[in-house]
């Protein structure tokens, strides 16, 4: 599970560097923050479900709890971006998040 998160981090970092090189530092940092939001959420999810269980009910409850925590952290980090990073390029922040989220799903196919 952590390999998937690591691959997501690599793709999000590469995207942010590409944006920063092509469009400027502010847009690059915005894309990096958006990608970071997705990576942190995925990492939290992985940490919660890492133990695993053979009991289907316990595994289901763990998955639900991990998903709720992931959504909560994502919302909190977006609110923090609104409050603390007011000069952010919101288009690139959202695109950074979207690319990192898509990278997570595609990396599941590769790993």
């Amino acid at each position: 599970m952590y390999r998937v998160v690591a691959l997501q981090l690599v793709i999000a970092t590469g995207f942010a560097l590409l944006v920063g090189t092509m469009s400027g530092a502010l847009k690059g940092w915005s894309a990096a923050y958006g990608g970071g939001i997705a990576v942190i959420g995925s990492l939290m999810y992985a940490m919660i479900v890492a133990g695993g269980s053979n009991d289907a009910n316990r595994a289901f409850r763990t998955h639900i709890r991990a998903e709720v925590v992931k959504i909560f952290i994502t919302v909190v980090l977006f609110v923090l971006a609104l409050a603390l990073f007011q000069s952010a390029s919101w288009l690139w922040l959202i695109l950074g998040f979207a690319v990192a989220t898509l990278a997570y799903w595609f990396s599941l196919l590769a790993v």
Side-chain angles (χ1 to χ4, degrees), residues 47-67:
M47 289 170 56
I48 292 170
V49 300
S53 175
N54 289 334
D55 179 30
N57 287 329
R58 180 179 290 167
F60 179 72
R61 286 190 308 271
T62 301
H63 164 71
I64 295 299
R65 185 182 50 190
E67 197 62 41

Side-chain angles (χ1 to χ4, degrees), residues 83-106:
L84 301 176
F85 195 25
Q86 295 175 355
S87 63
S89 175
W90 289 97
L91 172 65
W92 291 105
L93 190 136
I94 298 296
L95 285 174
F97 178 79
V99 165
T101 301
L102 287 173
Y104 175 81
W105 288 104
F106 287 131

Side-chain angles (χ1 to χ4, degrees), residues 5-22:
V5 177
L7 185 55
Q8 181 187 22
L9 176 64
V10 168
I11 292 170
T13 303
F15 179 72
L17 289 172
L18 179 67
V19 170
T21 302
M22 308 267 300

